């Protein structure tokens, strides 16, 4: 059996569109990492990754506690293909930002259940690592 593995640094336009679970790493107030499975959408042109969540979740509380410039990472893997997006995160709860994040989530995964406490963790990507590179990175 032959497995087609892209060389390190190869572009794969669909990697951040295909349905797969990702992992988000935030930092607890004591500095230790908090890693959770999430759905992530990524807009490579804008350099923005988004994670929808409930306002009271630990990941949201961690980002808020870290304040401006909160450092986070989101990763996904598919066999030998992997990619990590690092950047600064902020929590947004305005209806427009949440609706845009929900729209993108529904395109990649499925329509999420209604949640009146929904917010979005918006990540401004500053570094990309992995065997797969989003277009333009």
């Amino acid at each position: 059996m032959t497995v087609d593995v892209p060389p390190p640094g190869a572009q794969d336009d669909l990697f951040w569109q295909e349905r797969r679970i990702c992992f988000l790493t935030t930092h607890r107030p004591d500095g230790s990492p908090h890693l959770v499975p999430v759905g992530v959408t990524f807009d490579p042109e804008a350099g923005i990754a988004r994670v929808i969540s409930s306002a009271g979740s630990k990941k949201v509380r961690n980002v808020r506690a870290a304040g401006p410039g909160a450092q986070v990472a989101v990763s996904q893997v598919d066999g030998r293909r992997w990619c990590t997006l690092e950047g600064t995160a902020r929590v947004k709860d305005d209806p427009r930002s949440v609706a845009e994040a929900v729209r993108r989530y529904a395109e990649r995964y499925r329509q999420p259940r209604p949640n009146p406490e929904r917010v979005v963790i918006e990540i401004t990507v500053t570094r990309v690592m992995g065997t797969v590179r989003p277009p333009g990175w």
Side-chain angles (χ1 to χ4, degrees):
M1 178 168 108
T2 303
V3 177
D4 184 25
V5 178
Q11 275 193 6
D12 185 335
D13 293 352
L14 299 178
F15 193 69
W16 282 97
Q17 296 171 5
E18 298 163 340
R19 187 180 197 279
R20 68 173 50 83
I21 298 299
C22 303
F23 288 91
L24 169 69
T25 303
T26 61
H27 297 280
R28 295 180 183 100
D30 69 2
S32 62
H34 178 253
L35 181 72
V36 293
V38 294
V40 176
T41 62
F42 181 47
D43 178 353
E45 290 85 29
I48 302 291
R50 294 173 177 87
V51 176
I52 59 174
S53 184
S54 290
S57 72
K58 181 63 175 166
K59 58 188 161 287
V60 168
R61 293 192 325 263
N62 286 344
V63 171
R64 285 186 166 149
Q71 296 294 303
V72 301
V74 290
S75 299
Q76 65 179 347
V77 64
D78 179 32
R80 290 184 173 180
R81 299 185 317 156
W82 66 276
C83 186
T84 296
L85 309 175
E86 294 180 352
T88 57
R90 63 183 173 161
V91 177
K92 297 178 90 174
D93 59 6
D94 64 281
R96 186 174 180 179
S97 296
V98 173
E100 178 63 10
V102 167
R103 181 189 70 77
R104 290 173 179 272
Y105 181 94
E107 284 179 4
R108 184 173 187 192
Y109 297 98
R110 60 176 165 68
Q111 186 65 39
R113 64 176 169 71
N115 180 355
E117 300 298 317
R118 181 167 286 128
V119 297
V120 58
I121 298 172
E122 192 173 275
I123 303 161
T124 302
V125 177
T126 57
R127 178 185 290 168
V128 175
M129 302 178 290
T131 60
V132 175
R133 295 295 220 189
W137 288 85

